[in-house]
Amino acid sequence: MKNLTFNFFSKSLNMSTTFKMILPDLISDSTKILILLHGMGDDENSWERNTLLDKYLENKSLVVVMPRVDLSYYQNFAKSAYFDFVAFEILEQMKDVFHLNTARKNTFVAGVSMGGYGALKIVLTFPDKFSACFALSPNTDLLESWQEDSSREAWFSALFKDKKTFKNSDNNLFNLIKKPGTGLDKPFIDIECGRKDHFVHRCRSFYEQARKAGFNIVFNTYPNEKHEWSFWDRSIAGIIDFI
């Protein structure tokens, strides 16, 4: 197993950036790719720093890619297209530089909190590129966060313009699940959340509406779990085994 730090100039971000990678010793055409997204206040090192990720990947034919997106909420804004960076450019790097097979059946995305939102947005926008999404304690309703927390006003306005624009856009996950598509167009979605997490009711609402829209989605809750790394550590172990 190899741990790499990859620095390159990103066309999407118009600047140099870094992502972390964990690669198996042997790579084949069937090696899977997991893009693993961080949450608010974290970075590309957070998954390795806060979980036993390396241990869980032992003897797995799985490449894990951990990009840095700062406080972008995986949004294209100003001159930095963070959504395009994660959804497109990283896979281009995996194919062109590391010669990995980026076919849909091999490609997965997961994230925690803000990264859970990003993972859901990516898989709902490009269901033809990702076969499954794993969202851990995701903030599925940013509009509610915006309305409830005035401290987010300047931040979210810079990203999404205003509440009305956001509500009617594809940045609103509830709009994305209403778009037509059946069969393979609707990838598997797994949402995991603790019942003591402040996002659990938002996750439940999203799950119920996605299920009504015909998505292959599961929603698992855990009675004593909160919005914290100890829960996400156990969750990522299960996700890696599933993949």
Side-chain angles (χ1 to χ4, degrees), residues 16-202:
S16 293
T17 190
T18 297
F19 58 73
K20 302 294 289 292
M21 291 182 68
I22 303 176
L23 299 94
D25 291 327
L26 297 175
I27 292 177
S28 70
D29 199 53
S30 61
T31 297
K32 304 294 192 298
I33 303 166
L34 173 63
I35 299 178
L36 190 54
L37 308 180
H38 69 75
M40 185 177 71
D42 288 325
D43 59 24
E44 71 275 22
N45 300 295
S46 297
W47 279 100
E48 290 183 284
R49 186 168 55 238
N50 294 291
T51 73
L52 299 176
L53 186 60
D54 283 29
K55 176 183 177 182
Y56 304 145
L57 288 169
E58 290 178 358
N59 302 314
K60 303 289 187 182
S61 185
L62 176 64
V63 172
V64 175
V65 187
M66 295 161 282
R68 176 174 182 155
V69 303
D70 300 309
L71 294 174
S72 67
Y73 243 107
Y74 300 88
Q75 166 71 358
N76 292 338
F77 70 102
K79 294 182 179 180
S80 298
Y82 281 95
F83 181 73
D84 292 348
F85 167 60
V86 175
F88 291 110
E89 196 167 5
I90 285 178
L91 288 181
E92 289 177 356
Q93 294 293 321
M94 294 302 102
K95 182 178 180 180
D96 297 341
V97 177
F98 296 94
H99 309 294
L100 297 174
N101 181 359
T102 59
R104 182 182 189 265
K105 65 179 181 179
N106 287 349
T107 309
F108 304 80
V109 61
V112 59
S113 195
M114 179 183 79
Y117 163 84
L120 288 165
K121 181 182 173 184
I122 287 168
V123 82
L124 292 171
T125 304
F126 301 111
D128 58 322
K129 295 182 180 295
F130 297 86
S131 59
C133 164
F134 306 90
L136 308 180
S137 310
N139 188 357
T140 56
D141 194 339
L142 268 62
L143 184 59
E144 185 175 276
S145 290
W146 198 343
Q147 292 168 336
E148 291 181 350
D149 187 354
S150 60
S151 68
R152 294 178 181 246
E153 182 63 38
W155 174 25
F156 277 18
S157 293
L159 294 176
F160 306 113
K161 190 175 180 181
D162 55 57
K163 295 182 182 71
K164 183 178 180 180
T165 300
F166 174 85
K167 183 178 181 180
N168 296 319
S169 74
D170 284 347
N171 292 311
N172 184 347
L173 298 179
F174 290 92
N175 291 336
L176 287 176
I177 59 177
K178 296 175 184 176
K179 291 196 168 185
T182 58
L184 288 178
D185 291 331
K186 294 188 175 181
F188 174 68
I189 297 173
D190 178 4
I191 297 178
E192 306 280 320
C193 194
R195 293 180 198 168
K196 293 184 178 180
D197 192 308
H198 51 291
F199 289 157
V200 68
H201 71 282
R202 299 177 188 175

